Amino acid sequence: MQTAPTPPECPTVRVEDDRTGLDIETLKRAFLDNLFYIQGKFPEIATQNDYYMALAYTVRDRLFRRWLNTAETYSKQRARTVCYLSAEFLMGPHLGNNLINLGIFDTVKQAMTELGLNLDELFEKEEEPGLGNGGLGRLAACYLDSLASLETPSIGYGIRYEFGIFDQDIKDGWQVEVTDKWLRYGNPWEVARPEWEVEVKFGGHTQAFTDEHGNYRVLWVPDKVVRGVPYDTPISGYKVNSCNTLRLWAAEATDSFDFDAFNAGDYSGAVFKKMESETISKVLYPNDNMTQGKILRLEQQFFFVSCSLQDMFRIMKRQGIAIDQFHEKFTIQLNDTHPTIAVAELMRLLMDEYGMEWDKAWSIVTKTFAYTNHTLLPEALERWPIGLFGSMLPRHLEIIYEINRHFLDDLRIKFPDDLDRLSRMSLIDESGERYVRMAHLACVGSHAINGVAALHTKLLKQDVLHDFAEMYPEKFVNVTNGVTPRRFVALSNPRLTSLITSKIGGNWIKQLDELRQLEGYVNDSGFCSEYRTIKHAIKQDLSNYIKEFYGLNVDPNSMFDIQSKRIHEYKRQHLNALHIVTLYNRIKANPNIDITPRTFLFGGKAAPGYYMAKLIIKLINSIADVVNRDPDVRDRLKVLFMKDYSVKFAQRVYPAADLSEQISTAGKEASGTGNMKFAMNGALTIGTLDGANVEILEEVGADNFFLFGLNAEEVSQKKAAGYNPQEFYNSDPELKLAIDRISSGYFSHGDADLFKPLMDDLMYHDQYLLFADYRSYIDCQDRVGLTYLDQDRWTRMTLLNTARMGKFSSDRSIRDYTDNIWHAKPVSIDLKEYVQGGSLMDTPSGVSL
C-alpha cells in the first residue's frame, strides 16, 4: 500500500505577545487595546490624557515582566536588600525615563507617529508626582535609578502623599501656593497592595509586665491605630532586566465608617476617623511653624518608618529567614534625620513583638542602619519636644531613654569627667525645654555616618558632629552625591546625547567616565561647530517656550545665566539679583556701555512659611519688571522668574544653560546636585568653594570654572572677628548704589518699605556674607562676560566640563555605598519567557516583592 507523502514541515511563526512585545506593530496594537479596554475610549472621543494613559499602561506591561522576574529571583536567592528610607522621592515623570531604560524610546516614538500622535505632547500630559521638596528627594530618585541599573536588590520606602509639593504660581511678583493634585487623573505606574497592609499605633500608654519565662516585657496600649497600605511602583534599570520597587505608604482608618454615629445623626462624626487617619499621608511637609504642624510631621515620619520595618519582617517570614538574621537580610539607609525614629522602632519590634533581649536587639539595630547627613545648618537637625514626643510615642521615648543611658555610660568610660561632653552629646537636650535630638539618635544607632561631599564630610567632623567623630571615628565616611545621566542627559538632552554617542559610542550612559574620550574632540573645529549649532537650537526651543508662556522675547544668542534651586538665603539668589542691579546701574550711567547680552533665568520654590525667601522672589520679579521695559537696556539684559520649579522644569532648563549659578555661602551647602546636572549638559559654573563645587573644580580644572568668594574657613574667621557688613557697603560705590536703589523704592513703584526687611537684614546682619563676597562675585561675572564673547574658548570649556563629569554619576555614588557601607552584591536577572495562562502557577509561594 502506498503511503501518503509526509507534508513539508511548516516554519514556526512567532507572534509577539501584546503585553511584552517590543516591535512597532505590537506596540501599536497594545496601545490601542489599552485605550479601549483600560481607558474605555475609542480614538474619536479620546483625549490627550487618554492617549498618555494608554501609552503608560503599554509601557508598564513591559516593566511587569521584568519586575516579577526580579522579585522571583531575589526571593529564591534571599538576596541581601538595600532599603532606602526617605521622606521624599522626587521621581519626576516616569514615561520618558522608562522608555530610555527599556531601550525603546525611538521605537515607541515611531509607533506613536504612525498612529498620528506626538510623543512629546503625550509627555506633557503626565502629572509629575511632586513627592519631594528638592535635592533630598531628587537624590533619592537618582539612587533608585542607579540601584536598578547596577542590578542591586533594593526597595525605596516612603510616603504616598495625596498632595505633593505645592504648585507655584506668581501673582504680582509674589509666590502663591496652589494644591498639587497629582492623583486627580489616577497614577498608571503604581499598583496597590492592600493585602500587605500593616497597622501603626499612636499615643496611649505602656504597661510593664513579666512574661512566663520571668523576663521583663512592655506592652504598648495605643489610643489610635491607623492602617498603612502600600502602593508599589516598578523602577527600571538601564538596559538590564532588573526592576526594583518603590513602595509608598498611604494612611487609612481601621474603621472608615461609624454606623452608630451615622444612625445618631452625626454625619461628620461617622467619617471622622477616616479623615483623621488619612491626614497623615495627605500632604508633603506640613508647615511646622505651629504645634499641629509639628505633630503631623512626626506622625508622618513614624508612620512610614513603622510600615516599612513591618514590611521587612513580612518579607523575612515569607522567605523563611530567622529574625536574628535581620541585619544580614537588610541594610537600611536613613536619608537624613527624617526616618531616624526607625532606630527606636526596630528596637521595639525586636523586643516587644519578637521577645528579643536588649543587647542582642541593639547589636542587630546598629549593624542594620546607616545614616546620611544632608545639612550643615544646626537648625535643620531635627529635634522634638519631650512632651509632644512622649504623648505620641510613649514606648519609643522609654527606649530612647534606655539607649541614652547605655550611651552615656560608654561616654563616661571613654571621656571620664567631661560633663560638658555628656551634655552636648546626650540624646536628650536638657537645656531649657527638653528635646529628643534625632541626629544624635541616628549617630548612635548607625554603623556608618556619611556626608554627601568631601567638604561637607570634613565640616561635619570638624563642627556639626565633631563630638561623635571623636567618639566613633570609624563610623564616618564620605559619599559624594551623584545624579543619573539617564534622566539628566539621555532623556533631557537627546541632541547632545546623539552627538556624543556618534563620537564615542553609547556606553557612556552607563559608564560616565567614558565621557573623558570627548577631550580628544575639544580642538576639532567641525565637532565644536556642530556642538554650538545644537546648543543654539536648544536655547531657541527654550526661547520659544518663554515667549509662549510668559510673553517675553529673549535672544538665544545671549548668555543664558540660570539659577534654579530652592529659594533660601544661604543659596543667595539675592546676590545674583544684586549683580543684575549693578549691570542695570552701569547701563543707566552710560547707556552706550558695552555689556555682554544676558538672559537671567531663575526658578525655585520658597517654603510657605519662609517670608524672607518669598521676599527674594518678589525682589527678582520687581527687578525684572523694570529692567525688561527700560528702553535704555535695549534688550541687553532680560530677567525672568520661571514659576513652578520641578523635574520637568529642570529637564527643559539644564540643557539650555550657558552659566550655572552655584553661589551659596561657603560652608553652608552640603553638596548640591543641580551643579552636576548643569555641568553635565555643558554649562560653566560660577561658584564658591562650597559643597560639591569643590570636587567639580578639581575635576574640570580651575581654567574651566569661575571661582569667587571666601572659602569656608575664611567665612568662619570673618564671623569670629566680628563681621560688619556696613564696612563693605560704605567702601564699595557699586554695592552702595545697588542697595540704595532697591531701598529707595525704585524697583517697587516708589514703595521704600517693601524690601526694607531684606535690605535691613543685609545692612545690619548679613549672616550669609553677601556684602563680603559681592566685589569678588561682580569681578568674576565681568570675566564671565568677556569669556563668553570668545565663543571658541567658551565651547572648549563647556566640552571639558561635560567630559570630566564622570565622577558625578549616581552610579559611582551607589558603588561607594555598596562597597563601603552596605556590602550588597549585584544580582543578575534572567528574563524568562512570558507564557500566557500558566506563568503565575509556576511562581513559588514564597515570592515576596
Side-chain angles (χ1 to χ4, degrees), residues 724-738:
N724 182 4
Q726 292 185 53
E727 292 179 3
F728 293 89
Y729 168 81
N730 290 320
S731 62
D732 191 320
E734 284 200 309
L735 173 58
K736 186 176 187 302
L737 179 59

Side-chain angles (χ1 to χ4, degrees), residues 495 534-564 599-602 640 642 648-659 678:
R495 283 170 286 201
I534 287 172
K535 188 74 173 187
H536 186 273
I538 294 168
K539 292 171 68 178
Q540 183 65 64
D541 286 348
L542 183 56
S543 299
N544 295 341
Y545 176 86
I546 289 171
K547 175 62 178 175
E548 180 180 356
F549 287 95
Y550 296 95
L552 182 67
N553 288 308
V554 301
D555 181 4
N557 292 305
S558 66
M559 182 200 306
F560 279 19
D561 182 334
I562 303 180
Q563 188 174 17
S564 60
T599 297
F600 292 92
L601 299 176
F602 293 83
L640 175 65
M642 299 176 69
K648 272 188 182 179
F649 176 106
Q651 290 177 203
R652 178 175 284 112
V653 167
Y654 288 136
D658 293 307
L659 187 68
F678 277 116

Side-chain angles (χ1 to χ4, degrees), residues 382-445:
E382 282 191 320
R383 57 186 199 144
W384 298 106
I386 289 288
L388 184 155
F389 193 97
S391 65
M392 185 185 301
L393 302 171
R395 177 58 178 141
H396 298 77
L397 185 57
E398 293 175 355
I399 290 171
I400 289 171
Y401 281 148
E402 187 66 10
I403 294 171
N404 198 39
R405 185 179 70 80
H406 285 270
F407 170 61
L408 293 179
D409 285 346
D410 292 341
L411 204 55
R412 289 185 187 95
I413 292 172
K414 188 160 186 175
F415 301 98
D417 305 318
D418 192 341
L419 298 181
D420 287 342
R421 184 182 294 269
L422 290 176
S423 176
R424 292 195 308 268
M425 295 183 70
S426 172
L427 306 190
I428 309 298
D429 183 350
E430 304 279 1
S431 58
E433 183 182 359
R434 301 170 71 222
Y435 289 90
V436 180
R437 294 163 162 162
M438 301 307 286
H440 292 205
L441 177 61
C443 290
V444 173

Side-chain angles (χ1 to χ4, degrees), residues 451-458 478-481 669-672 691-693 695:
V452 291
L455 176 63
H456 174 232
T457 301
K458 176 183 176 183
N478 177 64
V479 180
T480 297
N481 284 347
E669 186 75 81
S671 169
N693 285 358
E695 291 161 84

Side-chain angles (χ1 to χ4, degrees), residues 479-774:
V479 180
T480 297
N481 284 347
V483 301
T484 168
R486 270 75 67 180
R487 181 177 291 278
F488 290 108
V489 184
L491 177 61
S492 304
N493 203 340
R495 283 170 286 201
L496 178 61
T497 299
S498 296
L499 177 64
I500 295 172
T501 301
S502 71
K503 298 300 181 183
I504 67 172
N507 197 51
W508 63 272
I509 299 173
K510 189 73 171 285
Q511 300 288 341
L512 201 63
D513 285 334
E514 293 192 10
L515 284 177
R516 282 276 180 177
Q517 298 173 54
L518 285 178
E519 292 192 32
Y521 294 91
V522 297
N523 295 315
D524 183 327
S525 59
F527 179 80
C528 291
S529 176
E530 191 173 355
Y531 173 84
R532 281 194 294 271
T533 299
I534 287 172
K535 188 74 173 187
H536 186 273
I538 294 168
K539 292 171 68 178
Q540 183 65 64
D541 286 348
L542 183 56
S543 299
N544 295 341
Y545 176 86
I546 289 171
K547 175 62 178 175
E548 180 180 356
F549 287 95
Y550 296 95
L552 182 67
N553 288 308
V554 301
D555 181 4
N557 292 305
S558 66
M559 182 200 306
F560 279 19
D561 182 334
I562 303 180
Q563 188 174 17
S564 60
K565 55 182 72 232
R566 183 165 50 91
I567 309 297
H568 197 290
E569 289 169 277
Y570 88 79
K571 295 178 184 286
R572 303 201 295 191
Q573 283 89 353
H574 43 339
L575 178 59
N576 192 346
L578 288 179
H579 174 230
I580 299 171
V581 173
T582 299
L583 292 179
Y584 177 75
N585 288 342
R586 290 176 181 177
I587 291 173
K588 295 304 288 183
N590 178 10
N592 294 318
I593 191 173
D594 189 12
I595 284 182
T596 302
R598 296 202 196 205
T599 297
F600 292 92
L601 299 176
F602 293 83
K605 295 177 179 180
Y610 190 176
Y611 174 74
M612 205 66 87
K614 288 185 168 183
L615 194 57
I616 290 172
I617 293 176
K618 174 63 175 175
L619 174 63
I620 293 166
N621 283 303
S622 297
I623 292 170
D625 287 343
V626 173
V627 170
N628 293 344
R629 61 186 175 87
D630 190 327
D632 286 345
V633 174
R634 296 201 303 273
D635 292 337
R636 287 172 288 179
L637 305 179
K638 287 290 176 71
V639 185
L640 175 65
F641 189 97
M642 299 176 69
K643 65 182 182 181
D644 208 27
Y645 180 75
S646 64
V647 177
K648 272 188 182 179
F649 176 106
Q651 290 177 203
R652 178 175 284 112
V653 167
Y654 288 136
D658 293 307
L659 187 68
S660 163
E661 298 269 355
Q662 307 298 330
I663 59 177
S664 54
T665 310
K668 296 300 181 183
E669 186 75 81
S671 169
T673 53
N675 46 8
M676 304 170 189
K677 298 161 194 169
F678 277 116
M680 279 183 189
N681 284 279
L684 301 186
T685 303
I686 181 168
T688 53
L689 280 175
D690 197 30
N693 285 358
V694 177
E695 291 161 84
I696 291 175
L697 173 62
E698 290 172 353
E699 292 295 310
V700 305
D703 292 341
N704 303 301
F705 188 105
F706 295 104
L707 178 66
F708 78 94
L710 302 171
N711 62 33
E713 184 178 354
E714 291 167 340
V715 167
S716 296
Q717 290 172 351
K718 192 164 286 292
K719 286 189 172 184
Y723 171 60
N724 182 4
Q726 292 185 53
E727 292 179 3
F728 293 89
Y729 168 81
N730 290 320
S731 62
D732 191 320
E734 284 200 309
L735 173 58
K736 186 176 187 302
L737 179 59
I739 295 297
D740 289 351
R741 185 152 264 173
I742 294 170
S743 298
S744 71
Y746 186 90
F747 296 103
S748 49
H749 308 289
D751 183 355
D753 292 329
L754 179 58
F755 298 118
K756 192 174 190 303
L758 191 58
M759 295 301 103
D760 283 355
D761 185 74
L762 292 176
M763 287 289 291
Y764 303 112
H765 304 288
D766 192 18
Q767 62 175 318
Y768 298 113
L769 282 74
L770 270 76
F771 284 11
D773 275 350
Y774 169 84

Side-chain angles (χ1 to χ4, degrees), residues 26-38:
T26 305
L27 288 166
K28 286 160 62 177
R29 188 168 59 247
F31 169 83
L32 292 171
D33 279 355
N34 284 325
L35 180 67
F36 190 86
Y37 286 108
I38 295 184

